[in-house]
């Protein structure tokens, strides 16, 4: 009977407007007479949200009913960006919304811009998780994301006098995209102790008791697929004190402060995203976050499984759990604990289930990013888990001993427990031992982990346990949403929007690579995107840039290994060159705008120094009359997902110039090429595969290779280390206080001159400068340049995150899609 009352999603402009007005007048309790842009954003979002909810409920019912295998993607970061534009495009109703909003007196762009980014991530790893959610829904995979509902996402960056200043990002004042599930609450235990005894049957029993309980409340966010009714779920956990409010007992007895303190301590767990990327600091609160989120998620997953009344042995047939880096590795231990301590399975039976359930993705080889937790910290916070880890390690080392009898060195190297002072738990090793597949994120990276950090494990488990899944990006957000005009042009030549579902369709563009009319339109779109960015630059920095200049962009987290310092030293070199030119020579040079953006971890002093130098160089260069339009240096404040959507389509070249062997994959390289920009880059991460796909004529590669890095470093430290002469000139200019007090940059130049130049800035400098000159030359021939960009876009199909998800599904998860109509 109820079926006839089910909500019907709107499909027409009038119905959409009706919904907007209804939400303004009832949900928001405002009058249409004072409906401002904030209210219009809220109402439009609620209208789309209602639509998503209907499909979301149906999807969940369909998946439950079909009872097929599901994927759970565990990630401490989901860098989602904005949701409204994405929702409108994925359900295919942006035009209707545009017309409807316009009739109500609003421009859709202004409404979209009201939304605060959901910035629950640091960079590449978090954005990858967001692209994966989009692909899993678009491909109809039954898949959930599990994460933490941080009250504060990654900080907002302000630049004050050239320095980065961090401002908290409170994003939850109004968030129409989440649904609090006050009925889905999980108790999570911390601290306490373990009591062991033998029961009547002589079985060893361990009971974890005492300590404290924190409550995890679920918040659900619908994830719409593109052009499909499938709407998946992202479940984020929020922490609360077990007593709900503060402790009344304590309060009434006069202990006001500690009653509130308990509550605050619990809420602190999900309060803030750790802003480090690629640096492990081993803080207790971070371990608490990890266990809190893992325990709540597993409780939820296990509860759902138990409803099906299947045998435990079927668990891995029904459930695949992917670990996004080592951050959720405790899930392995937690599942083992649930199975042996709570469900009474014996160790081996449980361990088979556990290892068949988990897959682990590694995202970095940087040693300072590999997570380790001190044993005493573990012992205190999670005493039972530490025991289980010791048991896992014991069984593992026994198997190693059987395979390599008497190899004590090997045992020491691969032990999950590092015998240091204090002892440490090596999370990556635990993740490998507890998973059935381990993957890297680009070919070079996957090869490197097999031959360096995880070499011994390849010997122990065999090579098949290790695999590669090269990263990808969602073309929906990174082409269709960020670059609507380009998307429209492509659609007009390839027969509609099908390329957004099968990115290899882009191949069809090859035949237009020399088509005059097409090239003209292509170039016009790039120019328009550059005008848009130029306006944005003007409004945020006050600097006027010429949209006809070559836009050279490097936007990503600031890190020495990513080498923004190489870029800015190159800019200073260019400045010196321009200053030394005659007016005639200057006329021949292609004008350039060097654009930087990215956040430094708050405690990463060297990264902050690099930001400072970029800003100071800009301040000098941008007002030098000898330079004029020939060179402008811009630092864009607070780089984030929604800003990337403006920046990415506007590049002529983008820089992906990490020291070879350090950038696991990179994903912004893919975004830039997909939007018709070329790359200047090192032979690192996915740059290598991008080159293979688009052709080496269409990319500017330079620098030393990964295989030579070790020797070069050795020479720096134990042989002679002479700096590149052009780099010396750059340093001399810095030291002459040309960019403000040189003392501020002493540590930066010193790291290269005096401290071994670990990232090989000097070794690659000459090659970098030469290649930049090639870029200048190539850009002068616009006809060829445009052809290169068209061919590149045509060959980028491989880098869709859809391809990537299909590979995970087949090689690691063993799951099938469940589209509508395929339920039985
Ligand atoms: C690592 C750590 C280490 C421990 C403490 C805190 C913390 C927080 C975040 C991370 C993640 C850093 C790793 C990361 O983002 N890797 C990037 O992953 C991208 C997606 O696979 C890849 O494209 C980038 O090359 C890689 O740097």
């Amino acid at each position: 009977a109820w079926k006839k009352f089910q909500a019907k999603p709107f499909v027409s402009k009038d119905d959409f407007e009706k919904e907007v007005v209804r939400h303004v007048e009832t949900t928001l309790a405002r009058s249409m007479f004072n409906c401002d842009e904030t209210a219009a954003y809220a109402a439009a979002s609620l209208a789309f949200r209602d639509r998503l909810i209907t499909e979301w409920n149906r999807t969940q019912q369909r998946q439950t009913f079909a009872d097929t295998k599901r994927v759970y993607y565990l990630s401490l970061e989901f860098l989602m960006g904005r949701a409204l534009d994405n929702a409108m495009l994925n359900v295919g109703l942006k035009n209707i919304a545009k017309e409807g909003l316009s009739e109500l007196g609003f421009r859709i762009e202004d409404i979209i811009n009201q939304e605060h980014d959901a910035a629950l991530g640091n960079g590449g790893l978090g954005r990858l998780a967001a692209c994966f959610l989009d692909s899993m829904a678009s491909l109809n995979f039954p898949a959930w994301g599990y994460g933490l509902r941080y009250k504060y996402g990654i900080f907002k960056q302000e630049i004050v006098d050239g320095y980065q200043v961090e401002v908290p990002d409170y994003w939850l004042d109004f968030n129409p995209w989440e649904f609090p599930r006050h009925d889905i609450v999980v108790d999570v235990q911390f601290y306490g102790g373990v009591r062991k005894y033998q029961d009547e049957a002589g079985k060893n029993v361990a009971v974890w008791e005492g300590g404290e309980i924190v409550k995890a409340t679920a918040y659900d966010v619908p994830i719409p697929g593109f052009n499909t009714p499938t709407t998946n779920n992202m479940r984020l956990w929020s922490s609360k004190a077990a007593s709900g409010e503060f402790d009344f007992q304590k309060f009434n007895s006069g202990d006001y402060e500690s009653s509130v303190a308990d509550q605050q301590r619990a809420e602190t767990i999900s309060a803030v995203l750790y802003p480090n990327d690629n640096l492990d600091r081993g803080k207790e609160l971070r371990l608490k976050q990890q266990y809190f989120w893992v325990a709540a998620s597993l409780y939820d997953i296990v509860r759902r499984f138990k409803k099906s009344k299947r045998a435990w042995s079927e668990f891995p047939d029904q459930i695949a759990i992917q670990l996004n880096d080592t951050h959720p590795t405790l899930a392995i231990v937690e599942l083992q604990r649930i199975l042996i301590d709570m469900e009474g399975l014996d160790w081996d039976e449980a361990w088979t289930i556990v290892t068949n359930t988990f897959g682990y993705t590694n995202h970095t080889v940087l040693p300072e990013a590999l997570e380790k937790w001190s044993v005493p910290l573990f012992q205190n916070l999670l005493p039972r888990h530490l025991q289980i880890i010791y048991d896992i390690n014991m069984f593992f080392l026994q198997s190693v001993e059987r395979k390599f009898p008497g190899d004590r060195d090997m045992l020491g190297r691969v032990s999950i427990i590092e015998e240091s002072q204090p002892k440490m738990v090596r999370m990556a090793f635990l993740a490998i031992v507890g998973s059935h597949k381990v993957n890297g994120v680009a070919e070079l990276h996957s090869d490197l982990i097999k031959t360096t950090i995880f070499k011994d494990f390849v010997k122990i488990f065999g090579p098949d346990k290790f695999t590669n899944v090269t990263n990808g990006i969602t073309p929906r957000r990174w082409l269709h949403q960020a670059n609507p005009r380009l998307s429209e042009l492509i659609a007009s030549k390839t027969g509609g929007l099908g390329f957004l579902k099968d990115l290899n369709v882009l191949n069809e563009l090859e035949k237009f690579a020399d088509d005059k009319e097409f090239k003209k339109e292509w170039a016009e779109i790039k120019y328009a995107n550059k005008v848009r960015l130029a306006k944005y630059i003007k409004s945020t920095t006050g600097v006027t840039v010429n949209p006809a200049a070559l836009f050279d962009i490097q936007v990503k987290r600031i890190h020495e290994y990513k080498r923004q310092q190489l870029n800015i030293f190159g800019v200073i070199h260019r400045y010196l060159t321009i200053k030394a030119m005659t007016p005639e020579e200057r006329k021949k040079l292609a004008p350039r705008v060097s654009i930087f953006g990215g956040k430094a971890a708050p405690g990463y002093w060297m990264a902050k120094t690099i930001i400072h130098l970029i800003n100071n160089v800009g301040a000098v260069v941008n007002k030098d009359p000898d330079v004029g339009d020939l060179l402008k240096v811009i630092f864009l404040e607070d780089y984030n997902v929604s800003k990337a959507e403006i920046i990415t389509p506007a590049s002529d070249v983008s820089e992906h110039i990490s020291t070879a062997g350090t950038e696991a994959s990179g994903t912004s390289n893919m975004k830039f090429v997909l939007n018709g920009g070329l790359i200047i880059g090192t032979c690192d991460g996915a740059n290598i595969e991008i080159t293979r796909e688009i052709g080496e004529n269409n990319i500017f590669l330079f620098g030393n290779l990964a295989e030579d890095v070790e020797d070069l470093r050795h020479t720096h430290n134990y042989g002679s280390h002479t700096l590149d002469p052009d780099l010396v000139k750059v340093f001399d200019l810095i030291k002459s206080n040309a960019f403000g007090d040189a003392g501020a940059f002493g540590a930066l130049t010193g790291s290269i001159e005096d401290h071994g130049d670990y990232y090989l800035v000097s070794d690659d400098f000459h090659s970098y400068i030469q290649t930049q000159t090639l870029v200048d030359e190539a850009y002068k021939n616009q006809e060829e340049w445009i052809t290169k960009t068209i061919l590149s876009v045509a060959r980028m199909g491989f880098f869709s995150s859809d391809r990537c998800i299909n590979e995970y599904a087949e090689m690691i998860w063993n799951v099938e899609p469940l589209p509508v109509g395929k339920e039985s």
Side-chain angles (χ1 to χ4, degrees), residues 77 122-126 128 274 276-281 286 325 327 362-364 368-371 441 471 561-562 662-667:
E77 306 192 3
N122 274 285
L125 166 138
L128 186 75
Y274 273 90
N276 295 319
D277 104 317
N278 282 307
L279 180 70
D280 174 36
R281 293 196 170 272
R286 168 95 178 172
D325 217 300
H327 316 156
N362 172 278
H363 294 268
T364 178
E368 65 271 29
L370 297 178
E371 287 190 298
V441 289
N471 282 166
Y561 87 82
K562 295 179 188 283
T662 62
E663 188 71 275
S665 162
T667 42

Side-chain angles (χ1 to χ4, degrees), residues 489-508:
L489 176 63
I490 295 170
S492 75
K493 299 294 178 190
T494 61
L497 292 176
F499 69 98
L500 294 172
K501 280 276 202 185
D502 175 8
L503 204 59
N504 289 316
V505 169
L506 287 178
N507 260 178
E508 293 175 26

Side-chain angles (χ1 to χ4, degrees), residues 223-259:
I223 307 292
F226 178 80
N227 192 23
T228 168
T230 298
T231 304
N232 281 337
N233 192 24
M234 173 170 74
R235 177 159 286 178
L236 304 178
W237 299 103
S238 179
S239 61
K240 264 212 318 235
S243 52
E245 301 298 309
F246 55 88
D247 187 331
F248 261 105
Q249 213 111 74
K250 281 186 183 172
F251 186 76
N252 287 336
S253 65
D255 193 359
Y256 308 125
E257 272 154 30
S258 100
S259 72

Side-chain angles (χ1 to χ4, degrees), residues 657-677:
I657 59 177
S658 48
T659 311
T662 62
E663 188 71 275
S665 162
T667 42
S668 75
N669 42 6
M670 303 166 189
K671 293 166 198 168
F672 281 105
V673 179
L674 187 62
N675 281 279

